């Protein structure tokens, strides 16, 4: 890979981007477009035909991917190389879901025996809890220590037959107050999930939950679990070693649902369904590792993303699951994509000469249709849409609902693309608004694993082509530092503040008793 070659490939892609035609015309010119611009793998159909990509621009993007070294970066990821260069760490979340015979070496040692041992401990613990008197599990964590299990447990609610799951993340006392309010301390298990075990939100909520439990005569030593990479810090919190589930620093927070951070999910759906979730992700790992770039779903999804944001200049992307149980997927993907690829410098620290990651947002359909779809259809910004739709639901008795759901999903991608002419200006739909559709059989644990791993690898490929490190997140530090510095100021300490912050501090102080 040379920088000059990559720049030349980018230039070619940009030229093709400027000459792009209307999507509708591409369909009119090629009766086989849908088949040509779709791929099937891992039980999914990925249809990217309703975009302005042509075979020529797709070929150019694939050449860009090759020039940028996607194949060798992919090999380095799975080989445990320290590709998180700014932090000197490997990126081995695929090890958490690797098969029983996998050997994955890091610094000359196989990491898998420890991964398997932790998974077995989690399964044994989950079986014990699911068979016991615990009625409610409260996962206290934030960001990657919250969004994954929260999103997945809602997605897999038809499989949740264990204790009720609750998630507390926000430092706002309203969150923990409202969750604990209905629970019995005697039958509640609290999981404190934090990779670092220093995150202020999580540690504050954990201390509040402990006080709540003690005040009601229950024993936190018996009903608290710690999930962390910082084993000593977790032990210092007073949780016995047999209730501490550790993971290594080569698992990024936003990639951690596959290991101990997924314990709440395992408690809800059981170890077998959790294993199926891992198996689905493993299938996607194998596909990503082995399929040719032109047939590789994560690679194609990444290229579509780059085409829309960097080349066409569309500022955001909408995640639109026509699958109510994926309601939290947009929030999960916001962290995955924006914390990974929301960067302003390259791996080497040089300022990027083009945009990095787009704003990611979304909500389930059909609800979004009655809220923000007006802008998608007739607004002045073009927002590429990513539809997710299951061919079957989990409620056969409500199949007529599902048929309506599918009809709406397909209709929206059609309407976005086709638009409508009308004599009256307010009723004109310009059309030519791109979308991709990810269609799958049913949202089973295995399918959810495949979908999440697809997005993880998409983010990775985009990062490689953009030349950025997708695995650090220094951009979250400044706000944390300033919040720490403001605590004594709210309590009355003097500080040299800008006039806006000073005004807000004064208002806060004036409202205290
Ligand atoms: O503030 C960002 C972040 O570091 C995320 O990357 C992470 O998922 C989250 O905070 C929670 O961190 P921890 O698991 O260490 O509590």
């Amino acid at each position: 890979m040379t920088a000059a070659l990559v720049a030349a490939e980018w230039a070619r892609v940009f030229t093709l981007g400027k000459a792009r035609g209307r999507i509708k015309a591409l369909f009119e010119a090629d009766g086989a477009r849908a088949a040509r611009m779709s791929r099937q793998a891992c039980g999914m159909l990925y249809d990217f035909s309703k975009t302005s990509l042509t075979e020529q621009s797709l070929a150019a993007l694939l050449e860009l991917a090759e020039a940028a070294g996607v194949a060798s970066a992919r090999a380095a990821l799975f080989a445990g190389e320290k590709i998180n260069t700014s932090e000197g760490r490997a990126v081995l979340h695929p090890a958490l879901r690797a098969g029983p015979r996998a050997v994955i070496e890091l610094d000359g040692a196989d990491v898998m025996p420890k991964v398997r041992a932790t998974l077995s401990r989690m399964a044994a613990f989950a079986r014990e809890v699911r068979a016991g008197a615990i009625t409610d599990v409260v996962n206290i964590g934030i960001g990657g220590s919250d969004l994954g299990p929260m999103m997945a447990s809602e997605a897999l609610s038809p499989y949740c037959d264990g204790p009720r799951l609750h998630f507390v993340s926000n430092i706002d006392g309203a969150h923990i107050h409202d969750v604990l309010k209905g629970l019995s301390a005697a039958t509640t298990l609290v999981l404190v999930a934090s990779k670092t075990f220093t995150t202020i939100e999580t540690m504050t909520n954990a201390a509040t939950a402990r006080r709540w439990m003690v005040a009601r005569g229950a024993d936190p030593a018996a009903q608290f679990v710690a999930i962390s990479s910082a084993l000593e810090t977790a032990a210092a919190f007073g949780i016995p070693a047999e209730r501490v589930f550790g993971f290594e620093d080569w698992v990024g927070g936003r990639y951690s649902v596959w290991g101990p951070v997924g314990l709440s999910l395992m408690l809800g759906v059981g170890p077998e369904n959790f294993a199926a979730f891992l198996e689905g992700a493993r299938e996607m790992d194998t596909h990503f590792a082995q399929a040719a770039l032109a047939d590789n779903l994560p690679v194609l999804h990444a290229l579509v993303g780059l085409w829309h944001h960097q080349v066409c200049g569309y500022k955001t992307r909408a995640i639109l699951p026509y699958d109510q149980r994926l309601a939290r997927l947009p929030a999960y993907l916001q962290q995955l994509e924006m914390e990974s690829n929301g960067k302003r410098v390259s791996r080497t620290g040089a300022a990027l000469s083009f945009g990095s990651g787009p704003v990611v947002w979304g909500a389930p359909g059909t609800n979004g249709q009655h809220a923000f779809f007006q802008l998608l259809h007739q607004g002045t910004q073009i927002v590429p849409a990513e539809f997710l739709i299951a061919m079957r639901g989990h409620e056969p008795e409500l199949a007529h609902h599902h048929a309506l759901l599918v009809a709406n999903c397909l209709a929206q991608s059609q309407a976005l693309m086709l638009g409508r002419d009308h004599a009256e200006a307010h009723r004109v739909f310009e059309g030519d608004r791109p979308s991709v559709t990810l269609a799958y059989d049913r949202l089973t644990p295995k399918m959810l694993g495949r979908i999440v791993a697809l997005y993880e690898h998409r983010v990775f490929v985009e990062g490689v082509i953009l030349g950025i490190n997708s695995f650090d997140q220094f951009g979250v530090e400044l706000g944390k530092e300033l919040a720490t510095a403001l605590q004594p100021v709210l309590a009355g300490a003097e500080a040299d503040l800008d006039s806006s912050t000073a005004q807000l501090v004064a208002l806060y102080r004036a409202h205290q008793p």
Side-chain angles (χ1 to χ4, degrees), residues 141-147 193-203 227-228 247 252-256 261 335 339 472-473 476-477 480:
I142 197 164
S145 298
D146 165 69
L147 288 164
S194 174
K195 179 173 171 180
T196 54
F197 231 74
T198 55
T199 304
I200 187 80
E201 290 91 338
T202 302
M203 300 330 294
I227 295 163
S228 186
F247 59 101
R254 54 193 174 273
Y255 300 88
S256 63
V261 168
Q335 187 195 16
E339 200 168 73
D472 59 16
Q473 58 283 321
V476 298
E477 280 174 10
K480 288 185 191 178

Side-chain angles (χ1 to χ4, degrees), residues 2 19 25 31 43 80 104 135 137 141 151 185 209 212 218 240 246 252 279 302 319 342 422 424 435 450 463 467 492:
T2 67
I104 298 177
T135 55
V137 172
M151 176 276 294
W212 170 82
E279 193 188 327
I319 310 294
H422 202 281
E424 196 193 318
S435 67
R450 292 163 171 165

Side-chain angles (χ1 to χ4, degrees), residues 424-447:
E424 196 193 318
H426 294 97
R427 294 179 192 264
V428 170
F429 286 68
E430 275 185 318
D432 203 34
R433 303 198 168 205
S435 67
V436 297
T437 301
L438 188 69
Y440 45 91
D441 173 24
R442 271 209 311 176
L443 191 61
T444 59
K446 194 189 274 191
M447 190 56 74

